[in-house]
Amino acid sequence: MEQLKGKLYLMSAFALAGTSVIAARFVTGHLGTFTITATSLLLASLALLPLCRRNLRKAIPLMSVRDWVTLLLQALCGIFLFRMFLLQGLLHTSSGEAGVLTGATPAATTLFAWLLLKEPLSTKSLFGILSTIAGILLLQGILVPGNALTMNHLIGNILVLCAAVSESLFNILSRISSLRIITDRSNPLNPIVQTMLVSAIALLLCLIPSLFEHPVWSLMSLGIIEWLALVWYGIFVTALAFMFWYAGIKRCTAYTAAAFSGMMPLTSLVLSVLLLGEHIGWHQWSGGLLVMLGMLLIGGCQTNMQPTKLLDLSASK
């Protein structure tokens, strides 16, 4: 039952995360990268604070230096770097391609688990990684005969891939943190409290660079659609999605999370066509299918791995 709940939480988290590309498209070009991130995080924090104020006062005095460092790294990789790369990439590539390219996260997560945690890399996982790479090359047009490769487009897709790598580091950090809590038999942070603290830390990281983007004047010039996109980015993509993520990753393995991360590029691709009216060519659909196949191969071969086995692997390092 707990694993089923965890899977539902993860599915909801990645479905909401998939809308981040669409929400960002409405404000990219109107606001600076760090202004978008800081404003959405401020909105998320304001929504979360009334829900966790009492638990927050109890949790903070009990937190160690290691707990704060873990949250700092999660905020840096999962929010600050991820959104910086994604928002910059959207200036040079389409929302549909950006959404699909975030599907490289499972492949990067598997590679990090193999390189950093020394976890075994199965043949199925290896084929999943190769399928993801082929899909990315097809999306970029490198495997399409006669397709002209534009540097601007390439830079945009590379930036989105950097966002996927940042998200992968966040996944690994989150799972290591969950396993450490089990090993130490300590009380885990409430998902709402954890989301609140990570959002607040990421907000502090964004404040100084956002000041160079003239945020007050830019925000005052926004229309209702842009403000609604910011509210969605803050409340749903940040607050609610991260709450679901922390609730799910405590019940499932990192590889299970990788399997469900397919909801993110799928949601982004479909919404890009339906809401933004973007045209998706055959090579983009084919590349997207290869990326999603890679996610299924990577996640499917490891979803039956028990958390205790992963715990043993990490504790032995």
Side-chain angles (χ1 to χ4, degrees), residues 28 40 48 122 128 140-141 170 184 189 204 219 243 245 252 277 310:
T28 301
S40 63
L48 290 168
S122 68
Q140 187 58 56
F170 170 76
D184 298 342
L189 283 174
L204 292 175
L219 289 169
M243 285 165 52
W245 163 259
C252 301
L310 284 178

Side-chain angles (χ1 to χ4, degrees), residues 279-291:
H279 173 71
I280 305 297
W282 69 266
H283 67 280
Q284 292 168 312
W285 281 113
S286 301
L289 289 174
L290 283 174
V291 171

